[in-house]
Amino acid sequence: MVRVSALPVIDVSPLLATGAGPEPEAGRRRVAEEIGAACRENGFFYVTGHGVPAELIDRLDTAARRFFALPEEVKDEIRMERGGRAWRGFFPVGGELTSGRPDLKEGVYFGAEEPAGTLPLHGPNLFPERVPELREAVLEYLGRMTELGQAVMSGIALSLGLEEDYFRTGYTADPTILFRIFHYPPSPPDDDGWGVGEHTDYGLLTLLLQDANGGLQVRTRAGWIDAPPVPGTFVCNIGDMLDKLTAGHYRSTPHRVRNRSGNERLSFPFFFDPGWDSEVPPLPYAPGRRWDGQVDFTGTYGEYLLSKVAKVFPRLFEQQL
């Protein structure tokens, strides 16, 4: 049974404000308390007051729809194989695996725009020539969302009794930024496949923009609930690294997607994660917390992320060895 979402909606505008003094500080601490409660309960909440212009979101959505309406052979001009070790570009329906099973979606991988190099998951993005406006919208969106990610993490720091800039001057001083645009065709009524199967996210924080067509579900202590679109918000959830850092005190919660709307569905997950060379302290998960039996690890976040993404695109990973 799935029930309609009761996830909290949190106004994070005080975390983005630049004012000093007792009143702004009290506002930030109030928001931090709300975020902390949500992280302990389900690890999911809606974010409003985020400052990302609606005009930018509209441009991004329009450009994305133009891209996915192109013929497959045109979309293949920026297929992921052409992105090399940067792992940027387009993949077709069924081209990504979650929990070892092909997802019923197609999508485009982006990240921070960087020069070509040898470091995996770093480098220039691939943009379609037929939709030139997508480049400008994506790069502007990445800048805005990076600011928002830092702001939300400052609230999480305060909620943990840490200094407000704990993450900004440490794990996320040079964050790993990944961005996806996913297109979900409507699921046939009798189909048991998932747009995205049950999973948790790898890193610190995910900020999800979803269109008006629902499909996202969250597995809470009370069972599966819907996380329907709420106009003007992002869905925010914490990932495995924050679960790890807090020894399971803050919850990285399983979620999944099935598009039953009868329409095509677009979603725009933005992943705000530790720096590539950051070593995340190997704190244990709380006993019995991990839903998938994942073992602990040591090393850098980059090493961890690379091992995870290799399972999502195993054939592409083999080609880049």
Side-chain angles (χ1 to χ4, degrees), residues 164-182:
E164 189 172 353
D165 63 353
Y166 177 83
F167 292 103
R168 189 188 299 265
T169 58
Y171 297 117
T172 66
D174 182 19
T176 300
I177 298 300
L178 301 173
F179 176 52
R180 317 288 189 241
I181 304 179
F182 292 143

Side-chain angles (χ1 to χ4, degrees), residues 7 38-39 42-47 152-153 156 199-208 216 218 234-240 242 251-255 269-273:
L7 300 176
C39 290
N42 293 318
F44 268 82
F45 53 96
Y46 293 91
V47 166
V152 174
M153 288 306 301
I156 288 175
H199 69 285
T200 55
D201 292 343
Y202 310 143
L204 286 179
L205 197 71
T206 303
L207 291 159
L208 172 71
L216 176 63
V218 178
F234 297 102
V235 176
C236 181
N237 66 279
I238 66 173
D240 295 342
L242 193 54
R251 305 183 62 222
S252 176
T253 304
H255 48 286
F270 173 87
F271 302 96
F272 186 80
D273 294 343

Side-chain angles (χ1 to χ4, degrees), residues 178-225:
L178 301 173
F179 176 52
R180 317 288 189 241
I181 304 179
F182 292 143
H183 173 250
Y184 300 83
S187 295
D190 58 347
D191 185 53
D192 64 352
W194 290 91
V196 179
E198 182 178 356
H199 69 285
T200 55
D201 292 343
Y202 310 143
L204 286 179
L205 197 71
T206 303
L207 291 159
L208 172 71
L209 171 67
Q210 48 181 344
D211 69 7
N213 299 297
L216 176 63
Q217 296 180 347
V218 178
R219 195 177 84 179
T220 71
R221 294 184 180 95
W224 286 101
I225 65 172

Side-chain angles (χ1 to χ4, degrees), residues 74-287:
V74 177
K75 290 183 285 189
D76 276 341
E77 292 174 1
I78 61 164
R79 63 184 181 272
M80 290 188 73
E81 286 82 355
R82 296 192 175 185
R85 291 174 62 84
W87 286 9
R88 310 289 171 82
F90 169 75
F91 69 88
V93 173
E96 184 173 77
L97 307 180
T98 301
S99 300
R101 184 173 181 177
D103 294 332
L104 299 179
K105 70 176 189 299
E106 59 182 338
V108 191
Y109 270 43
F110 300 102
E113 182 73 5
E114 298 173 343
T118 59
L119 194 62
L121 275 72
H122 291 70
N125 289 292
L126 300 180
F127 293 103
E129 292 184 1
R130 299 280 189 97
V131 191
E133 64 271 28
L134 185 61
R135 176 188 178 90
E136 181 180 351
V138 165
L139 296 181
E140 183 178 348
Y141 189 77
L142 290 179
R144 291 279 191 169
M145 296 303 288
T146 299
E147 294 174 7
L148 178 58
Q150 295 283 21
V152 174
M153 288 306 301
S154 72
I156 288 175
L158 288 173
S159 76
L160 292 168
L162 303 170
E163 293 295 324
E164 189 172 353
D165 63 353
Y166 177 83
F167 292 103
R168 189 188 299 265
T169 58
Y171 297 117
T172 66
D174 182 19
T176 300
I177 298 300
L178 301 173
F179 176 52
R180 317 288 189 241
I181 304 179
F182 292 143
H183 173 250
Y184 300 83
S187 295
D190 58 347
D191 185 53
D192 64 352
W194 290 91
V196 179
E198 182 178 356
H199 69 285
T200 55
D201 292 343
Y202 310 143
L204 286 179
L205 197 71
T206 303
L207 291 159
L208 172 71
L209 171 67
Q210 48 181 344
D211 69 7
N213 299 297
L216 176 63
Q217 296 180 347
V218 178
R219 195 177 84 179
T220 71
R221 294 184 180 95
W224 286 101
I225 65 172
D226 288 323
V230 176
T233 72
F234 297 102
V235 176
C236 181
N237 66 279
I238 66 173
D240 295 342
M241 288 300 98
L242 193 54
D243 191 315
K244 177 183 179 64
L245 284 167
T246 63
H249 187 53
Y250 284 7
R251 305 183 62 222
S252 176
T253 304
H255 48 286
R256 63 192 184 186
V257 175
R258 178 176 281 165
N259 181 17
R260 294 294 200 191
S261 67
N263 304 312
E264 62 177 357
R265 177 183 186 267
L266 286 188
S267 71
F268 305 79
F270 173 87
F271 302 96
F272 186 80
D273 294 343
W276 185 262
D277 294 324
S278 296
E279 291 198 12
V280 180
L283 301 175
Y285 288 99

